[in-house]
Amino acid sequence: MNATKPTRRYDSRLIRKSRQQPRLQRTAWGFVTIAFWGFYFYLWAPLVTALSWFFGGKLAFLQLYEYKQSVDPFIVIALPVMLVCCSVLLIAWAEYNRLRFAGKERRNPREDVSLDEIARNLSASPALAAQLAQGKSVTLHMDDQARPVGLTEQVLAG
């Protein structure tokens, strides 16, 4: 006569039984979990990057200026010299290539293929080869032996 408090029965649906799931389903949900954890860490990436930049910048400042209260003369002289040398080399290489290839067409022009050759290579009629050469965008209709028997010209929007 304990009517005030209802008793709860064990319900197996409330407990997840992962070993009773099919292996493919468990694997798929594992990949979904990994993907969401990756997305979660991706959301934290800007903060981690900002902290890395802050502490890295602070460390660079300490290394360059705070220790020994002086600036390394090698860095002051060598870095601008390397910058100028790289710039000069890049510009010189670009100008060399511009002068070398200016006014020269290196690609050989291709001859047009004749309609007879198109028809012969496709095993199609000369009339179909002519239609194919005239069309800009076509759908080619084939027979059971994969030979073209007709075409439908596509209407391009624009």
Side-chain angles (χ1 to χ4, degrees), residues 101 103-111:
F101 297 115
K104 295 180 184 174
E105 181 60 47
R106 294 183 354 175
R107 290 173 282 206
N108 296 331
R110 299 285 180 200
E111 293 181 23

Side-chain angles (χ1 to χ4, degrees), residues 6-12 14:
T7 58
R8 293 192 177 214
R9 274 187 68 217
Y10 168 72
D11 189 0
S12 65
L14 298 176

Side-chain angles (χ1 to χ4, degrees), residues 136-152:
K136 188 169 187 140
S137 176
V138 298
T139 301
L140 201 54
H141 304 288
M142 313 285 252
D143 65 6
D144 292 337
Q145 285 76 34
R147 289 184 300 230
V149 293
L151 61 88
T152 307

Side-chain angles (χ1 to χ4, degrees), residues 89-128:
L89 279 173
L90 183 64
I91 291 169
W93 180 253
E95 285 299 314
Y96 165 75
N97 282 318
R98 188 178 66 82
L99 292 173
R100 180 179 170 201
F101 297 115
K104 295 180 184 174
E105 181 60 47
R106 294 183 354 175
R107 290 173 282 206
N108 296 331
R110 299 285 180 200
E111 293 181 23
D112 288 339
V113 178
S114 69
L115 293 179
D116 292 332
E117 192 174 351
I118 293 173
R120 186 177 64 249
N121 288 336
L122 290 177
S123 300
S125 67
L128 184 63

Side-chain angles (χ1 to χ4, degrees), residues 1-157:
M1 304 219 143
N2 211 350
T4 59
K5 200 173 197 184
T7 58
R8 293 192 177 214
R9 274 187 68 217
Y10 168 72
D11 189 0
S12 65
R13 292 178 298 165
L14 298 176
I15 299 173
R16 183 173 180 185
K17 298 179 181 179
S18 64
R19 292 289 165 210
Q20 290 182 353
Q21 288 180 323
R23 183 177 297 225
L24 180 65
Q25 188 178 15
R26 282 194 318 247
T27 305
W29 280 112
F31 282 122
V32 169
T33 302
I34 289 171
F36 275 99
W37 274 110
F39 180 69
Y40 179 73
F41 289 130
Y42 170 76
L43 292 175
W44 280 98
L47 178 65
V48 171
T49 304
L51 290 174
S52 298
W53 273 89
F54 175 72
F55 290 120
K58 186 175 181 180
L59 180 64
F61 179 78
L62 288 174
Q63 290 290 332
L64 289 174
Y65 302 111
E66 295 272 324
Y67 297 147
K68 299 180 187 175
Q69 300 295 323
S70 64
V71 177
D72 188 6
F74 175 77
I75 292 176
V76 172
I77 295 170
L79 287 179
V81 169
M82 285 190 283
L83 176 70
V84 169
C85 287
C86 288
S87 301
V88 167
L89 279 173
L90 183 64
I91 291 169
W93 180 253
E95 285 299 314
Y96 165 75
N97 282 318
R98 188 178 66 82
L99 292 173
R100 180 179 170 201
F101 297 115
K104 295 180 184 174
E105 181 60 47
R106 294 183 354 175
R107 290 173 282 206
N108 296 331
R110 299 285 180 200
E111 293 181 23
D112 288 339
V113 178
S114 69
L115 293 179
D116 292 332
E117 192 174 351
I118 293 173
R120 186 177 64 249
N121 288 336
L122 290 177
S123 300
S125 67
L128 184 63
Q131 283 181 322
L132 189 59
Q134 302 267 325
K136 188 169 187 140
S137 176
V138 298
T139 301
L140 201 54
H141 304 288
M142 313 285 252
D143 65 6
D144 292 337
Q145 285 76 34
R147 289 184 300 230
V149 293
L151 61 88
T152 307
E153 194 161 347
Q154 303 294 318
V155 178
L156 299 175

